[in-house]
Amino acid sequence: SLDAQLANQRGSFSVSSYYLYEDLGFNCTYIELFRTEHRPEELMSVVASFKPQLIHIESSFRQNPTSADVYLVFGVPHSSDRMLNDRLYASDYAQLSTTWLNDALASLPDTMLRPLVILEGQRTPSLSSTVHQVLLRNTFASELFRLGNTSGVVATGLFRYAEERPRLLRPLINQLANLGSLGMAVNEINSRNIETKADLDLISCPVLLTDNPMFILVPMQ
C-alpha cells in the first residue's frame, strides 16, 4: 500500500521534530547533540548505517572570527550573539562544519539519491541577533549545497512563536511524505506565512537551494 511505502522513507531528525515526521509515515531516528562526548565520528557512523533520505537539523549558528567559517552549534537554547561568540561556549559544546556534514553525506552509497537537508535555525530573544542568525544559517546552507552531496538544502526555522512551528513545518513535511516536489513543499511554508499579510514575518520565510525543484523523496523498497 502507499502507506507502507511511505513508511519506508527514511529521515534523521532532532527529538522535537521527530514526531512531526513519524506522524506522516517516515521511518525515523534521531541524534541528540549536546556536549562534545558525541564525537563527529560517531555521528558519521549513524548516518552511514541509517542511510537517511532526509536530515532535519535544529541548531544555532556561529561564525569563527578568524576563519569566517560558519558552524552548527548545539547545546544552549535561546542563544545570544554574546554566547555564540564566547570562547568558553565554543569549546564546551559540539560544533559541526559544512565540511564535516558534507563528508558524512559523501559516505552514503553512490546508488542513493543525495539526501535532502533541512536546516532549522533557532530564533533568539533580540531581533538583531535573530537577523544575524538568518545570515549565518543562509551562509551555511549555501556552502553545504555548493559542496555537492545534497539534493537540496531548505533553510527554515526562526519562527516567532512556538505554536507557529508545527503550523509551518507540517505542510512542508506532508508534501514530502505524499510525493510532492521539493519546490511545492517549500511553497507550502510560504503560503502559510502570507495568509495574514499584515502580520507577515519575512524572517521565517524559507530559503531553498537546489538545482532540481522537482526533486521527490522516493519511498525505499
Side-chain angles (χ1 to χ4, degrees):
S1 71
L2 181 61
D3 286 345
Q5 284 183 312
L6 292 178
N8 284 324
Q9 290 172 311
R10 304 174 71 81
S12 180
F13 318 106
S14 67
V15 179
S16 57
S17 57
Y18 179 94
Y19 300 104
L20 287 172
Y21 287 91
E22 191 175 54
D23 285 348
L24 291 166
F26 282 79
N27 179 18
C28 306
T29 190
Y30 66 84
I31 304 169
E32 291 182 297
L33 288 176
F34 292 105
R35 303 212 173 227
T36 53
E37 62 266 19
H38 296 282
R39 296 287 184 245
E41 294 79 8
E42 296 176 76
L43 306 181
M44 290 182 73
S45 175
V46 172
V47 170
S49 62
F50 190 70
K51 299 180 176 59
Q53 292 174 284
L54 187 157
I55 299 174
H56 187 126
I57 298 171
E58 288 179 59
S59 75
S60 297
F61 298 85
R62 177 183 182 273
Q63 186 170 39
N64 185 304
T66 302
S67 67
D69 293 334
V70 179
Y71 295 86
L72 302 173
V73 180
F74 305 91
V76 175
H78 307 303
S79 304
S80 67
D81 275 346
R82 182 186 62 79
M83 293 170 67
L84 291 172
N85 288 289
D86 186 336
R87 290 184 180 181
L88 289 176
Y89 175 89
S91 65
D92 201 27
Y93 288 85
Q95 298 178 90
L96 300 178
S97 67
T98 52
T99 302
W100 174 87
L101 186 52
N102 183 70
D103 288 347
L105 299 176
S107 71
L108 293 169
D110 292 338
T111 53
M112 281 185 62
L113 286 173
R114 296 299 85 190
L116 170 66
V117 176
I118 297 178
L119 295 174
E120 185 185 345
Q122 304 300 295
R123 200 159 187 131
T124 66
S126 78
L127 178 60
S128 61
S129 60
T130 294
V131 170
H132 188 216
Q133 285 293 295
V134 172
L135 297 175
L136 295 181
R137 181 204 64 185
N138 292 352
T139 298
F140 188 98
S142 178
E143 176 63 13
L144 179 63
F145 181 67
R146 186 192 67 79
L147 289 171
N149 276 297
T150 70
S151 291
V153 180
V154 178
T156 186
L158 302 157
F159 306 123
R160 280 179 297 187
Y161 312 111
E163 58 269 22
E164 283 188 339
R165 187 170 184 267
R167 180 179 70 84
L168 294 173
L169 285 181
R170 182 173 286 275
L172 165 74
I173 300 165
N174 186 58
Q175 279 286 339
L176 295 173
N178 288 286
L179 307 181
S181 70
L182 180 54
M184 289 177 60
V186 171
N187 281 340
E188 283 293 325
I189 295 185
N190 282 327
S191 65
R192 298 300 194 282
N193 235 329
I194 63 175
E195 284 176 352
T196 308
K197 293 183 180 179
D199 197 32
L200 178 62
D201 180 26
L202 294 176
I203 287 176
S204 59
C205 289
V207 174
L208 171 62
L209 296 101
T210 185
D211 54 11
N212 180 18
M214 299 306 295
F215 171 81
I216 291 173
L217 285 180
V218 179
M220 297 179 71
Q221 300 299 319

Short mmCIF file of all heavy atoms in Angstrom, two decimals, residues 97-136:
data_model
loop_
_atom_site.label_atom_id
_atom_site.label_comp_id
_atom_site.label_asym_id
_atom_site.label_seq_id
_atom_site.Cartn_x
_atom_site.Cartn_y
_atom_site.Cartn_z
N SER A 97 30.95 21.60 11.15
CA SER A 97 31.17 22.45 9.98
C SER A 97 30.46 21.88 8.76
O SER A 97 30.02 20.73 8.74
CB SER A 97 32.67 22.53 9.69
OG SER A 97 33.15 21.25 9.28
N THR A 98 30.38 22.69 7.71
CA THR A 98 29.82 22.20 6.44
C THR A 98 30.68 21.07 5.89
O THR A 98 30.16 20.12 5.30
CB THR A 98 29.76 23.33 5.40
OG1 THR A 98 31.05 23.96 5.30
CG2 THR A 98 28.72 24.37 5.78
N THR A 99 31.98 21.15 6.08
CA THR A 99 32.88 20.10 5.59
C THR A 99 32.59 18.78 6.26
O THR A 99 32.51 17.72 5.61
CB THR A 99 34.35 20.49 5.82
OG1 THR A 99 34.61 21.73 5.15
CG2 THR A 99 35.29 19.41 5.28
N TRP A 100 32.40 18.81 7.60
CA TRP A 100 32.09 17.58 8.31
C TRP A 100 30.78 16.99 7.83
O TRP A 100 30.68 15.80 7.55
CB TRP A 100 32.01 17.82 9.82
CG TRP A 100 31.53 16.56 10.49
CD1 TRP A 100 32.28 15.52 10.93
CD2 TRP A 100 30.17 16.19 10.74
NE1 TRP A 100 31.48 14.52 11.44
CE2 TRP A 100 30.18 14.91 11.32
CE3 TRP A 100 28.94 16.82 10.51
CZ2 TRP A 100 29.02 14.24 11.69
CZ3 TRP A 100 27.78 16.15 10.87
CH2 TRP A 100 27.84 14.88 11.46
N LEU A 101 29.73 17.83 7.73
CA LEU A 101 28.43 17.32 7.31
C LEU A 101 28.49 16.80 5.89
O LEU A 101 27.91 15.75 5.58
CB LEU A 101 27.38 18.43 7.44
CG LEU A 101 25.93 18.05 7.18
CD1 LEU A 101 25.51 16.84 8.02
CD2 LEU A 101 25.01 19.24 7.46
N ASN A 102 29.21 17.48 5.02
CA ASN A 102 29.36 17.01 3.64
C ASN A 102 30.09 15.67 3.60
O ASN A 102 29.72 14.78 2.82
CB ASN A 102 30.13 18.05 2.82
CG ASN A 102 30.24 17.65 1.36
OD1 ASN A 102 29.27 17.65 0.63
ND2 ASN A 102 31.45 17.29 0.95
N ASP A 103 31.11 15.50 4.44
CA ASP A 103 31.83 14.22 4.49
C ASP A 103 30.90 13.09 4.94
O ASP A 103 30.98 11.96 4.43
CB ASP A 103 33.02 14.31 5.45
CG ASP A 103 34.15 15.15 4.89
OD1 ASP A 103 34.14 15.45 3.67
OD2 ASP A 103 35.06 15.50 5.66
N ALA A 104 30.01 13.39 5.91
CA ALA A 104 29.05 12.37 6.36
C ALA A 104 28.11 11.99 5.22
O ALA A 104 27.82 10.80 5.01
CB ALA A 104 28.27 12.90 7.56
N LEU A 105 27.65 12.98 4.47
CA LEU A 105 26.76 12.69 3.34
C LEU A 105 27.49 11.93 2.23
O LEU A 105 26.91 11.06 1.57
CB LEU A 105 26.18 13.99 2.79
CG LEU A 105 25.33 14.81 3.77
CD1 LEU A 105 24.91 16.13 3.13
CD2 LEU A 105 24.12 14.04 4.22
N ALA A 106 28.76 12.26 2.04
CA ALA A 106 29.54 11.59 1.00
C ALA A 106 29.78 10.12 1.31
O ALA A 106 30.11 9.33 0.40
CB ALA A 106 30.88 12.32 0.82
N SER A 107 29.63 9.73 2.58
CA SER A 107 29.85 8.33 2.96
C SER A 107 28.69 7.43 2.54
O SER A 107 28.81 6.20 2.60
CB SER A 107 30.05 8.22 4.49
OG SER A 107 28.82 8.47 5.18
N LEU A 108 27.57 8.02 2.13
CA LEU A 108 26.42 7.22 1.72
C LEU A 108 26.68 6.57 0.36
O LEU A 108 27.47 7.09 -0.44
CB LEU A 108 25.18 8.11 1.65
CG LEU A 108 24.71 8.64 3.01
CD1 LEU A 108 23.66 9.72 2.83
CD2 LEU A 108 24.18 7.52 3.88
N PRO A 109 26.04 5.45 0.06
CA PRO A 109 26.30 4.73 -1.20
C PRO A 109 26.04 5.59 -2.43
O PRO A 109 25.11 6.42 -2.46
CB PRO A 109 25.33 3.55 -1.14
CG PRO A 109 25.00 3.37 0.30
CD PRO A 109 25.06 4.74 0.92
N ASP A 110 26.85 5.41 -3.45
CA ASP A 110 26.69 6.16 -4.69
C ASP A 110 25.36 5.85 -5.38
O ASP A 110 24.88 6.64 -6.20
CB ASP A 110 27.84 5.84 -5.66
CG ASP A 110 29.17 6.37 -5.16
OD1 ASP A 110 29.16 7.30 -4.34
OD2 ASP A 110 30.22 5.85 -5.60
N THR A 111 24.77 4.70 -5.06
CA THR A 111 23.50 4.31 -5.68
C THR A 111 22.31 5.07 -5.09
O THR A 111 21.22 5.03 -5.66
CB THR A 111 23.26 2.80 -5.50
OG1 THR A 111 23.39 2.47 -4.10
CG2 THR A 111 24.29 2.01 -6.30
N MET A 112 22.50 5.74 -3.95
CA MET A 112 21.42 6.52 -3.34
C MET A 112 21.34 7.91 -3.94
O MET A 112 22.37 8.51 -4.30
CB MET A 112 21.67 6.69 -1.84
CG MET A 112 21.32 5.52 -0.97
SD MET A 112 21.53 5.97 0.80
CE MET A 112 20.32 7.32 0.98
N LEU A 113 20.11 8.43 -4.06
CA LEU A 113 19.98 9.84 -4.32
C LEU A 113 20.56 10.61 -3.15
O LEU A 113 20.47 10.17 -2.00
CB LEU A 113 18.50 10.23 -4.49
CG LEU A 113 17.81 9.81 -5.78
CD1 LEU A 113 16.32 10.13 -5.70
CD2 LEU A 113 18.43 10.52 -6.97
N ARG A 114 21.18 11.75 -3.43
CA ARG A 114 21.74 12.55 -2.34
C ARG A 114 20.62 13.03 -1.41
O ARG A 114 19.55 13.44 -1.88
CB ARG A 114 22.50 13.75 -2.90
CG ARG A 114 23.71 13.40 -3.74
CD ARG A 114 24.78 12.63 -2.96
NE ARG A 114 24.56 11.20 -2.92
CZ ARG A 114 25.24 10.36 -2.15
NH1 ARG A 114 26.17 10.80 -1.33
NH2 ARG A 114 24.99 9.07 -2.18
N PRO A 115 20.83 13.00 -0.10
CA PRO A 115 19.76 13.37 0.83
C PRO A 115 19.38 14.85 0.73
O PRO A 115 20.16 15.71 0.32
CB PRO A 115 20.38 13.08 2.20
CG PRO A 115 21.53 12.17 1.93
CD PRO A 115 22.04 12.54 0.59
N LEU A 116 18.14 15.11 1.12
CA LEU A 116 17.67 16.46 1.34
C LEU A 116 18.03 16.87 2.76
O LEU A 116 17.87 16.08 3.69
CB LEU A 116 16.15 16.52 1.14
CG LEU A 116 15.44 17.81 1.56
CD1 LEU A 116 15.87 18.97 0.68
CD2 LEU A 116 13.92 17.61 1.48
N VAL A 117 18.52 18.08 2.95
CA VAL A 117 18.87 18.58 4.28
C VAL A 117 17.97 19.78 4.60
O VAL A 117 17.85 20.70 3.80
CB VAL A 117 20.35 18.99 4.37
CG1 VAL A 117 20.65 19.60 5.74
CG2 VAL A 117 21.26 17.79 4.11
N ILE A 118 17.33 19.72 5.77
CA ILE A 118 16.53 20.84 6.26
C ILE A 118 17.26 21.43 7.46
O ILE A 118 17.51 20.74 8.45
CB ILE A 118 15.11 20.40 6.65
CG1 ILE A 118 14.38 19.88 5.41
CG2 ILE A 118 14.34 21.56 7.28
CD1 ILE A 118 12.97 19.37 5.69
N LEU A 119 17.64 22.68 7.36
CA LEU A 119 18.31 23.40 8.44
C LEU A 119 17.30 24.31 9.13
O LEU A 119 16.82 25.28 8.53
CB LEU A 119 19.46 24.24 7.90
CG LEU A 119 20.65 23.51 7.27
CD1 LEU A 119 21.62 24.52 6.66
CD2 LEU A 119 21.37 22.64 8.30
N GLU A 120 16.99 24.01 10.36
CA GLU A 120 16.02 24.81 11.11
C GLU A 120 16.75 25.65 12.15
O GLU A 120 17.23 25.15 13.17
CB GLU A 120 14.98 23.92 11.79
CG GLU A 120 13.90 24.73 12.48
CD GLU A 120 12.92 23.86 13.25
OE1 GLU A 120 12.89 22.63 13.04
OE2 GLU A 120 12.19 24.43 14.09
N GLY A 121 16.86 26.94 11.86
CA GLY A 121 17.53 27.85 12.77
C GLY A 121 16.67 28.16 13.98
O GLY A 121 15.44 28.01 13.96
N GLN A 122 17.33 28.61 15.04
CA GLN A 122 16.64 28.92 16.30
C GLN A 122 16.59 30.42 16.51
O GLN A 122 17.62 31.10 16.46
CB GLN A 122 17.37 28.24 17.46
CG GLN A 122 17.52 26.74 17.30
CD GLN A 122 16.19 26.04 17.20
OE1 GLN A 122 15.40 26.04 18.14
NE2 GLN A 122 15.91 25.44 16.05
N ARG A 123 15.41 30.94 16.75
CA ARG A 123 15.24 32.38 16.99
C ARG A 123 15.84 32.76 18.33
O ARG A 123 15.79 31.99 19.29
CB ARG A 123 13.76 32.74 16.95
CG ARG A 123 13.53 34.23 16.69
CD ARG A 123 12.13 34.43 16.17
NE ARG A 123 11.89 35.82 15.76
CZ ARG A 123 11.35 36.16 14.60
NH1 ARG A 123 11.03 35.23 13.72
NH2 ARG A 123 11.14 37.42 14.29
N THR A 124 16.39 33.95 18.42
CA THR A 124 16.95 34.45 19.66
C THR A 124 16.04 35.55 20.23
O THR A 124 15.15 36.04 19.53
CB THR A 124 18.36 35.03 19.44
OG1 THR A 124 18.26 36.20 18.61
CG2 THR A 124 19.26 34.02 18.74
N PRO A 125 16.24 35.94 21.48
CA PRO A 125 15.34 36.94 22.08
C PRO A 125 15.37 38.30 21.39
O PRO A 125 14.37 39.00 21.37
CB PRO A 125 15.85 37.06 23.52
CG PRO A 125 16.51 35.74 23.80
CD PRO A 125 17.13 35.34 22.50
N SER A 126 16.50 38.69 20.81
CA SER A 126 16.59 40.02 20.20
C SER A 126 16.49 39.93 18.68
O SER A 126 16.94 38.97 18.06
CB SER A 126 17.89 40.71 20.58
OG SER A 126 18.98 40.22 19.83
N LEU A 127 15.89 40.95 18.07
CA LEU A 127 15.71 40.97 16.62
C LEU A 127 17.05 41.03 15.90
O LEU A 127 17.26 40.34 14.90
CB LEU A 127 14.85 42.17 16.22
CG LEU A 127 14.62 42.35 14.72
CD1 LEU A 127 13.93 41.13 14.13
CD2 LEU A 127 13.81 43.61 14.46
N SER A 128 17.99 41.83 16.41
CA SER A 128 19.28 41.98 15.72
C SER A 128 20.05 40.66 15.68
O SER A 128 20.64 40.30 14.65
CB SER A 128 20.12 43.06 16.39
OG SER A 128 20.41 42.72 17.74
N SER A 129 20.05 39.92 16.79
CA SER A 129 20.77 38.65 16.79
C SER A 129 20.03 37.60 15.97
O SER A 129 20.65 36.71 15.37
CB SER A 129 21.01 38.15 18.22
OG SER A 129 19.79 37.96 18.91
N THR A 130 18.70 37.70 15.89
CA THR A 130 17.95 36.78 15.03
C THR A 130 18.27 37.02 13.57
O THR A 130 18.47 36.08 12.79
CB THR A 130 16.43 36.95 15.27
OG1 THR A 130 16.12 36.52 16.59
CG2 THR A 130 15.63 36.13 14.28
N VAL A 131 18.36 38.29 13.17
CA VAL A 131 18.75 38.61 11.78
C VAL A 131 20.15 38.08 11.49
O VAL A 131 20.42 37.55 10.41
CB VAL A 131 18.67 40.13 11.53
CG1 VAL A 131 19.29 40.50 10.19
CG2 VAL A 131 17.21 40.59 11.59
N HIS A 132 21.05 38.21 12.47
CA HIS A 132 22.40 37.67 12.32
C HIS A 132 22.34 36.15 12.12
O HIS A 132 23.06 35.59 11.29
CB HIS A 132 23.23 38.02 13.55
CG HIS A 132 24.68 37.68 13.40
ND1 HIS A 132 25.45 37.22 14.45
CD2 HIS A 132 25.52 37.71 12.33
CE1 HIS A 132 26.68 37.00 14.03
NE2 HIS A 132 26.74 37.28 12.76
N GLN A 133 21.46 35.47 12.86
CA GLN A 133 21.30 34.03 12.69
C GLN A 133 20.77 33.68 11.30
O GLN A 133 21.17 32.67 10.71
CB GLN A 133 20.36 33.48 13.77
CG GLN A 133 21.01 33.36 15.14
CD GLN A 133 22.11 32.31 15.16
OE1 GLN A 133 21.85 31.12 14.98
NE2 GLN A 133 23.34 32.75 15.36
N VAL A 134 19.89 34.50 10.74
CA VAL A 134 19.40 34.28 9.38
C VAL A 134 20.58 34.28 8.39
O VAL A 134 20.71 33.39 7.54
CB VAL A 134 18.38 35.35 8.95
CG1 VAL A 134 18.03 35.22 7.47
CG2 VAL A 134 17.11 35.24 9.78
N LEU A 135 21.44 35.28 8.53
CA LEU A 135 22.58 35.40 7.61
C LEU A 135 23.54 34.22 7.75
O LEU A 135 24.01 33.67 6.75
CB LEU A 135 23.32 36.71 7.88
CG LEU A 135 22.51 38.00 7.62
CD1 LEU A 135 23.31 39.22 8.04
CD2 LEU A 135 22.11 38.10 6.15
N LEU A 136 23.81 33.81 9.00
CA LEU A 136 24.71 32.68 9.20
C LEU A 136 24.08 31.38 8.71
O LEU A 136 24.75 30.54 8.09
CB LEU A 136 25.08 32.57 10.68
CG LEU A 136 25.89 33.71 11.28
CD1 LEU A 136 26.19 33.44 12.75
CD2 LEU A 136 27.18 33.94 10.51
#
